[in-house]
């Protein structure tokens, strides 16, 4: 049996294009859901993986619809292969564990992607360190100027309510309470 898995991250997105592509590819049953890939448990993916048996195949339109990271992808593909099933991506023809060349490519590309992610992480950390050393402020800018912050502290010390102060500066009460 050929199973399909389709996922979109938000309710504003549509599953229709993925379902059409999977049907065109000859998928017998489609599991679909609207949930972030960052979620640890995706119910429909778990149901799809649980229904796999020897000789079945799971098909996705693109790898990012199945996994958020290389590690996640390799873990899912391992679970699929433990059941004696295959995995295939329509957009990435090299990601096809039903062939030995596809299994090799998936492993190699997975390693390269993980290496690239580590390089990006180290370059980002170096950039942050350089910016800090140069005295640049990291993060979101304050909504209130230092002068306004001093005024807020004075008004709060005199007993004025958080909401009243927040309304006068057009900010939320939590912004005022953090000061």
């Amino acid at each position: 049996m050929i199973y399909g898995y389709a996922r979109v991250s938000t309710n504003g997105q549509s599953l229709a294009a993925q379902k059409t592509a999977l049907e065109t590819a000859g998928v017998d049953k489609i599991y679909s859901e609207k949930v972030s890939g960052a979620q640890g448990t995706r119910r429909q993916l778990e149901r799809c993986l649980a229904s796999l048996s020897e000789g079945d195949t799971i098909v996705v339109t693109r790898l990012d619809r199945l996994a958020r990271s290389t590690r996640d992808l390799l873990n899912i593909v391992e679970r699929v292969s433990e059941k004696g099933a295959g995995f295939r991506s329509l957009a990435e023809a090299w990601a096809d564990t039903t062939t030995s060349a596809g299994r090799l490519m998936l492993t190699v590309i997975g390693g390269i992607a993980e290496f690239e992610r580590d390089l990006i992480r180290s370059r980002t950390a170096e950039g942050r360190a350089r910016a800090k050393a140069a005295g640049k402020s990291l993060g979101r800018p304050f909504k209130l100027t230092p002068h306004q912050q001093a005024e807020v502290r004075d008004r709060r010390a005199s007993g004025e309510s958080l909401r009243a102060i927040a309304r006068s500066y057009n900010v939320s009460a939590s912004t005022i309470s953090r000061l």
Side-chain angles (χ1 to χ4, degrees):
M1 183 136 178
I2 301 174
Y3 295 98
Y5 176 71
R7 181 189 62 80
V8 291
S9 299
T10 62
N11 286 328
Q13 297 173 324
S14 172
L15 290 161
Q18 288 181 59
K19 286 182 176 180
T20 301
L22 292 170
E23 289 165 358
T24 303
V27 168
D28 300 311
K29 180 169 181 166
I30 298 174
Y31 291 89
S32 62
E33 58 192 335
K34 292 184 178 188
V35 64
S36 169
Q39 293 289 337
T41 56
R42 291 171 274 165
R43 288 189 184 129
Q44 292 301 313
L45 176 60
E46 291 301 321
R47 286 184 61 207
C48 181
L49 294 173
S51 66
L52 291 173
S53 58
E54 184 87 27
D56 289 345
T57 303
I58 181 171
V59 179
V60 295
T61 56
R62 291 189 341 248
L63 290 177
D64 67 342
R65 299 297 88 205
L66 179 69
R68 179 87 175 194
S69 66
T70 305
R71 184 176 305 275
D72 188 28
L73 173 64
L74 294 175
N75 288 339
I76 291 170
V77 170
E78 183 178 340
R79 287 177 62 190
V80 170
S81 63
E82 284 172 356
K83 295 208 170 208
F87 167 75
R88 197 164 56 100
S89 168
L90 299 178
E92 295 90 4
W94 52 264
D96 183 353
T97 65
T98 61
T99 67
S100 57
R103 285 189 296 276
L104 172 66
M105 284 300 297
L106 190 63
T107 303
V108 170
I109 298 297
I112 291 170
E114 194 163 329
F115 175 70
E116 181 182 5
R117 194 173 67 242
D118 286 344
L119 286 177
I120 290 169
R121 193 176 301 131
S122 69
R123 283 193 302 259
T124 303
E126 288 169 7
R128 258 192 245 115
R130 278 194 310 272
K132 256 186 166 174
K136 293 195 176 166
S137 163
L138 301 178
R140 189 174 178 175
F142 294 109
K143 288 193 171 194
L144 300 175
T145 66
H147 176 73
Q148 289 172 323
Q149 291 176 19
E151 285 178 350
V152 165
R153 286 187 192 96
D154 291 342
R155 289 172 65 180
R156 190 69 186 128
S158 68
E160 199 169 340
S161 75
L162 288 175
R163 288 181 189 240
I165 298 170
R167 263 186 255 127
S168 68
Y169 289 103
N170 197 25
V171 295
S172 69
S174 59
T175 298
I176 302 301
S177 70
R178 279 192 295 272
L179 291 174

